Amino acid sequence: MAAEAEQLGLIDQEIASAQEMYKKGLERLPRILALQRAQADIRANQASSRAQVAKNDQQIGETKLQLLNLRQQDSESANEDPCQRCAQTSPNCGANCPRARMCWRGPRSSRQSPER
């Protein structure tokens, strides 16, 4: 975008110079019009670049929000009772549950009694 701003500055000078020469009869109108078209193209490119930057910023913001939501969900699920999590995801939670060893409600054979 800095290069486009520099190009605009140069084209502005060239247009001003060409218009002065046109007033003196030393320049043709089609050249001035060509310079003005080039100026308009550069401005359109600048606007397109700004729009793309805004779109990228929006996508970054949305991605950050999704990441925050995922982290919050992960934190909430880490604080849940493993049996509760298992019951939510599997209707067959019970003796064959892979999480039964972590769960105080697991089958008696997999429960570990606390050592004293």
Side-chain angles (χ1 to χ4, degrees), residues 1-72:
M1 291 199 324
E4 290 170 336
E6 186 177 344
Q7 285 179 342
L8 268 180
L10 293 172
I11 249 183
D12 288 343
Q13 289 177 7
E14 196 171 353
I15 288 172
S17 174
Q19 284 175 336
E20 287 298 317
M21 293 174 67
Y22 177 75
K23 288 177 186 176
K24 295 177 182 177
L26 301 173
E27 187 63 78
R28 297 180 4 217
L29 184 60
R31 180 163 185 276
I32 294 172
L33 295 175
L35 290 170
Q36 289 172 339
R37 279 191 302 276
Q39 181 186 46
D41 285 343
I42 293 169
R43 287 192 174 135
N45 287 340
Q46 277 185 322
S48 177
S49 296
R50 280 193 292 271
Q52 187 62 47
V53 167
K55 183 178 177 181
N56 291 345
D57 286 344
Q58 179 182 0
Q59 288 177 340
I60 288 169
E62 289 173 1
T63 302
K64 285 181 178 181
L65 182 60
Q66 289 174 352
L67 182 60
L68 286 173
N69 286 335
L70 289 173
R71 284 183 178 159
Q72 182 178 0

